[in-house]
């Protein structure tokens, strides 16, 4: 895969991995998700009246959403039982899509065009 150059992205590796967001993925793996987020923002949101600053925030949070939604080791725990141990994860087998992670919820909040999310045909909804 051809990695997205920093100049071609609205966000950076440092932006994605900063601010308390933690991941065990390599920089190259994170950049693959950055490329996916950039492509989605370009194809779905560009030209809908959103500022570049807002698109950059969406791209950053969408990258984080992809990581927490799609990478098993990174998935967000939705509920947890202590004994016997049980975890329920948001995302992979839910119909929540962007609403399944806090980062996806932030994408919905930033997207004032209502293109993404439940009212705009959430492109990441997954049904079991």
């Amino acid at each position: 895969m051809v990695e997205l150059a920093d100049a071609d992205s609205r966000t950076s590796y440092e932006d994605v991995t900063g601010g308390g967001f933690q991941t065990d993925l390599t920089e190259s793996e994170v950049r693959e998700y950055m490329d996916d987020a950039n492509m989605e923002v370009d194809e779905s949101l560009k030209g809908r009246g959103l500022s570049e600053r807002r698109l950059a925030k969406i791209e950053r949070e969408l990258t984080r959403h992809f990581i927490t939604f799609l990478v098993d080791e990174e998935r967000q725990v939705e509920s947890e039982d202590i004994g016997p141990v049980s975890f329920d994860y948001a995302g992979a087998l839910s119909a929540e899509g962007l609403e399944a992670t806090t980062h996806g919820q932030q994408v919905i909040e930033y997207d004032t065009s209502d293109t993404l999310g439940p009212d705009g045909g959430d492109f990441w909804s997954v049904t079991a």
Side-chain angles (χ1 to χ4, degrees):
M1 178 182 159
V2 176
E3 279 190 11
L4 185 70
D6 281 341
D8 296 329
S9 179
R10 290 174 189 86
T11 192
S12 68
Y13 172 77
E14 290 76 19
D15 288 341
V16 170
T17 58
F21 182 76
Q22 297 180 4
T23 179
D24 291 330
L25 296 180
T26 66
E27 182 174 342
S28 180
E29 291 169 324
V30 169
R31 288 185 181 278
E32 286 184 36
Y33 288 107
M34 287 172 57
D35 183 49
D36 293 343
N38 177 264
M39 182 173 54
E40 191 61 46
V41 168
D42 279 352
E43 293 177 3
S44 296
L45 298 176
K46 198 172 178 181
R48 294 194 178 266
L50 303 174
S51 69
E52 280 298 310
R53 182 174 171 210
R54 184 172 295 276
L55 292 175
K57 289 179 180 280
I58 291 171
E59 198 167 297
R60 180 194 66 215
E61 294 303 319
L62 192 54
T63 300
R64 291 173 174 178
H65 170 74
F66 287 165
I67 291 169
T68 57
F69 186 74
L70 297 173
V71 179
D72 285 343
E73 296 81 17
E74 305 289 334
R75 286 177 37 209
Q76 183 172 312
V77 175
E78 204 168 59
S79 67
E80 175 179 339
D81 296 333
I82 298 301
V85 178
S86 174
F87 298 97
D88 291 325
Y89 293 97
L93 297 176
S94 76
E96 295 175 317
L98 284 171
E99 293 179 327
T101 70
T102 55
H103 304 290
Q105 293 166 19
Q106 192 63 56
V107 168
I108 293 168
E109 186 69 28
Y110 285 145
D111 176 20
T112 56
S113 72
D114 292 327
T115 302
L116 305 177
D119 296 331
D122 183 349
F123 63 91
W124 268 121
S125 286
V126 175
T127 54

